C-alpha cells in the first residue's frame, strides 16, 4: 500500500519564503531591478497574526487575518513592513485583502507604540509625584 503524503503547498511556500536571503532576493528582483537594496540582515520577523479590534464611533468589530510571511525593516524611526501572500489561483479581491492586512499591521504597530508611550508617561508622572 503506497504511503500518502499530507503535505500542503501553502506550508511549503511559507517555509521557503521565511528564509531572509530568499525573501530579500525576491523583493530586490521585483522592486529594485535586481539591486541589493533590501538586506537579509535588516529583516526582522513580524507576527503573522494581525487580528485586531477596530473601534469607531462606539462600534467595535473584530477582524482576523493571518498572513503568510511578514518582515519588518527599521531605519531609525522609519520602518517598512514587507508581506508575502501565497496563492494557487487568481483571486481578484487579493489587492483588497492585502490593503486590509497592511492596515491591520500598521494598526498593531501603532497600538504597541502608543502603549509604550502611555507606560512611559505613567512612570514619569509617578516619579514626579514621589519627588514632591
Amino acid at each position: 500500500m503506497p504511503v500518502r503524503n499530507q503535505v500542503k503547498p501553502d506550508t511549503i511556500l511559507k517555509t521557503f519564503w521565511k528564509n531572509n536571503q530568499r525573501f530579500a532576493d525576491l523583493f530586490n528582483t521585483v522592486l529594485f531591478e535586481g539591486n541589493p537594496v533590501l538586506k537579509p540582515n535588516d529583516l526582522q520577523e513580524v507576527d503573522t497574526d494581525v487580528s485586531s479590534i477596530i473601534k469607531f464611533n462606539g462600534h467595535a468589530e473584530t477582524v482576523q487575518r493571518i498572513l503568510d510571511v511578514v518582515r519588518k525593516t527599521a531605519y531609525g524611526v522609519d520602518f517598512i513592513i514587507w508581506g508575502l501572500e501565497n496563492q494557487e489561483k487568481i483571486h481578484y479581491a487579493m489587492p483588497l485583502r492585502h490593503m486590509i492586512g497592511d492596515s491591520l499591521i500598521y494598526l498593531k504597530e501603532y497600538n504597541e507604540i502608543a502603549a509604550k508611550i502611555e507606560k512611559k508617561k505613567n512612570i514619569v508622572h509617578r516619579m514626579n509625584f514621589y519627588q514632591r
Side-chain angles (χ1 to χ4, degrees), residues 66-130:
I66 300 186
L67 306 174
D68 287 345
V69 184
V70 183
R71 295 289 185 266
K72 176 172 82 171
T73 52
Y75 304 101
V77 295
D78 297 326
F79 65 91
I80 300 170
I81 303 291
W82 305 87
L84 186 60
E85 285 288 315
N86 304 309
Q87 64 184 78
E88 289 183 43
K89 299 176 184 146
I90 294 173
H91 189 294
Y92 293 104
M94 188 55 78
L96 178 61
R97 289 180 58 200
H98 268 283
M99 287 189 292
I100 292 168
D102 291 348
S103 298
L104 290 171
I105 289 172
Y106 285 108
L107 177 62
K108 184 176 181 177
E109 288 282 330
Y110 167 79
N111 288 335
E112 289 173 2
I113 292 168
K116 286 179 186 176
I117 290 170
E118 190 62 34
K119 185 177 179 181
K120 280 185 181 180
K121 283 182 184 177
N122 288 337
I123 290 171
V124 169
H125 178 70
R126 277 184 275 169
M127 287 173 46
N128 289 340
F129 178 77
Y130 291 122

